[in-house]
């Protein structure tokens, strides 16, 4: 008799609109971890569409989120994930009993950097944090806490 496969760690990335940062983080995590990690994204107030510059910045590194649609937070999902990562200062999630970490990603627009250059900087910041998270959750090394 074969033992059941171990449960994959699960992560939920949350930003306000679920159109940019949380979608980027989810795509990067899914790419890096493959099937070893269950990845979700949501927004506290989902917008109408994925941010086109977010999608473009990911296409530059071979990832495609053009088919994604912003979605709200599913309370049942929040109860079963191992960790909730909020991205940005405005996204706040209450998830009793679940580890919640905020990644206050640098906002280049506060320094006058806009457009695709801004989005590349956001993407690269998130990518570094995602790598540390995947190391922690999948490989058992590193720390998501120190990544943010």
């Amino acid at each position: 008799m074969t033992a059941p496969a171990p449960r994959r760690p699960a992560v939920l990335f949350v930003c306000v609109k679920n159109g940019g940062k949380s979608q980027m983080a989810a795509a990067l995590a899914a790419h890096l971890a493959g099937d070893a990690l269950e990845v979700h994204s949501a927004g506290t107030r989902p917008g109408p569409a994925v941010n086109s510059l977010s999608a473009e910045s990911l296409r530059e590194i071979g990832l495609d989120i053009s088919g994604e649609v912003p979605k709200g937070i599913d309370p049942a999902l929040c109860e079963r994930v191992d960790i909730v990562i909020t991205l940005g200062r405005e996204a706040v999630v209450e998830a009793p009993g679940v580890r919640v970490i905020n990644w206050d990603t640098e906002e280049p627009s506060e320094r006058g950097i806009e457009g695709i250059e801004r989005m590349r900087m956001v993407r690269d910041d998130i990518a570094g944090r995602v790598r540390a998270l995947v190391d922690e959750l999948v490989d058992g090394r590193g720390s998501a806490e120190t990544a943010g």
Side-chain angles (χ1 to χ4, degrees), residues 15 107 119-120 127:
C15 66
E107 184 44 68
M119 205 50 65
R120 287 175 183 137

Side-chain angles (χ1 to χ4, degrees), residues 4 6 36 94:
E94 296 295 324

Side-chain angles (χ1 to χ4, degrees), residues 28-41:
L28 289 159
H31 174 72
L32 287 171
D35 292 338
L37 184 64
E38 183 182 327
V39 179
H40 303 275
S41 72

Side-chain angles (χ1 to χ4, degrees), residues 8 41-42 58 70 73 81 115 137 139:
R8 296 182 301 162
S41 72
L58 287 176
I73 297 171
V81 297
L137 296 178
D139 299 332

Side-chain angles (χ1 to χ4, degrees), residues 38-63:
E38 183 182 327
V39 179
H40 303 275
S41 72
T44 56
R45 292 187 314 272
V50 168
N51 178 294
S52 62
L53 290 176
S54 295
E56 182 180 337
S57 74
L58 287 176
R59 271 193 307 275
E60 291 177 347
I61 60 169
L63 302 178

Side-chain angles (χ1 to χ4, degrees), residues 13-93:
F13 293 102
V14 178
C15 66
V16 173
K17 294 182 181 179
N18 190 226
K21 293 174 183 174
S22 58
Q23 292 278 2
M24 293 171 78
L28 289 159
H31 174 72
L32 287 171
D35 292 338
L37 184 64
E38 183 182 327
V39 179
H40 303 275
S41 72
T44 56
R45 292 187 314 272
V50 168
N51 178 294
S52 62
L53 290 176
S54 295
E56 182 180 337
S57 74
L58 287 176
R59 271 193 307 275
E60 291 177 347
I61 60 169
L63 302 178
D64 183 9
I65 61 169
S66 62
E68 295 296 328
V69 177
K71 53 204 153 299
I73 297 171
D74 175 356
L77 177 62
C78 273
E79 291 176 4
R80 70 175 190 78
V81 297
D82 298 293
I83 187 168
V84 174
I85 305 285
T86 59
L87 292 100
R89 298 174 194 131
E90 294 84 27
V92 177
V93 175

